[in-house]
Amino acid sequence: MNAKGYQVLCTFISFILVTACQSGQKMEEVHQEVAGVRTSQTFLTKTTNTANALEGGHLNYGLVADSPFEGILNGVFFENAYDAEILQFFDEALLATDENSQFTQEGAATYEMSKDYKTMTITIRDGVKWHDGNPVTGEDLEFAYLTIGHPDYNGSRYDTTFQNIVGMDDYHAGKAERISGIKVAGNRVSLTFKEANPSILTGVWTYPLHKKYLGDIPVAQMSASAKIRQHPIGFGPFKVKKIVQGEAIEFEAFDDYWKGRPKLDRISLSVVNSTTAVKALQAGKIDVAKISADLYEGAKKLTNVNLLGQMESTYTYIGFKLGHYDLDKRENVMGGTKLSDKRVRQAIGYAINNDEVGQFLYKGLRFQANTVIPPTQPNYYDTSLAGYTYNPEKAKKLLDEAGYVDRNGDGFREDPKGKKFVLNFASMAGGDAAEPLARYYIQQWRDIGLHVQLLEGRLHEFNSFYDRLKKDDQKIDLYQAAFGVGSDPDPSGLWARDAAFNYTRWVNGKNDELLQKGISVEAFNNEYRAEVYKEWQALIKEEAPLIPTLFRYGFLGVNERVRDLELEAGSVHVDWSKVAVTAEKPIK
């Protein structure tokens, strides 16, 4: 999809769930309109197998990764998507959510809100047990808050929602031993907030932490402990039987799961390289695996596999290192980097043709991202905002205005002081498209006169890549990564001044103001909140701390012997307690 006059209409995506009259299967029909061209694609979202389920059964799950999984297997501490993918089998939140990400009464706990929306009372159902047989209690949920709010906590969950709890400030500062706004009575917990906040109904933390099991470990040492890395305990449908660190996990059914014993007896998870994932599905070595867009063409040809798909709550982006994270102040600090001039960042965005990337590298299964809120949050996603569509002439003009010009005729621009200007670009290994994409971006930046080189001349392994980002490696000037957006529309966890996940380290007063407005009492009015977040998206577009590049569809390849596997909205996670198999061995 080429640009006309270097202008491309921003992608508009709408998706509706429809029922296929003949099969009765749930499907997602996706309409895509780009530059006046309209196409339609339909994906299954549930397996088609209706044969009688076996009693018990064993399923093989492929974790598609080109690196070992890190293995921080706890909701309070995990940092990456691979560990999150593992957690879905054995742990979960207490409160369930609906298709609009609002809490419901269908989970392992129910809740009540006070009339002033300042106190939430969560009641854990009777019979909800940890895998060691102990009941999940109100103290366990409180213990999660005590851990995340602790001064020695080294994770990334301490955000504005936690800070809004009465007494959290004193506890976090080490001035109090408890959090005064949290009261526990048996299986009931009340959370009292300083201010009413609409995110209370979508983003309150409801993952408990097993106090009897973990309470003797100092908070600073908890994430590295054997009880989390080697012998994790949850209260989900399966329990961990054995871990081969970074490579494989054996799960077995949890007989006392609060929804009832799972239909499967066992799940064996193993890491599968992206280059061999499709072949492993074809050969029946694995039953289920995530399928990325660059594997889609091969996977859809398989006759023994159902390919399930839908829009993901994820966007890829080009990020700019604009500062560092001050560990003492626990906040981001800008300054001292090569990309402080937003005009240079904007030029980098206008130089790349993501319509072509989505069409040719990803077969139309990824597409131009116009903003940092994905279409899976339709109440807040701004369809009218023009993203950084391909416009190299505009990019060159911005660089000229900023004083970055080629003074010596070598084809590359020098900085305003006439010094050599070279940028180090970090990107991750993984999948056939990773290296061509990185090289393509570098070439397009060269076309506007920017000297960008691949950091250390190579792609970087997933875990080390993110470790260097988190530690603000000064060798990195810009990078390519992805954000998965949570159920809560409040973006503070990724964008706030003190957010550890704010890897660009961008700090902006207007950003602070809009993020606060988005969780104010006025924001209980959804129209008001939507307007705030549209203004916020426009701010991100203008200031360009990062350039959103691609939205995506996510897929699961599922062997035909599997039944009752259905995708959850906005993700490719499922309720594994319902999944069954209808044959002893995978169909080849």
Side-chain angles (χ1 to χ4, degrees), residues 420-436:
K420 191 174 182 179
F421 187 66
V422 180
L423 298 172
N424 288 317
F425 175 52
S427 194
M428 284 178 286
D432 292 340
E435 185 157 358

Side-chain angles (χ1 to χ4, degrees), residues 64 277-278 281 289-293 295-297 299 307 553-557:
V64 181
V278 172
L281 281 167
K290 281 189 176 183
I291 298 296
S292 60
L295 301 179
Y296 177 82
E297 289 297 317
L307 201 56
Y553 301 114
F555 299 92
L556 274 186

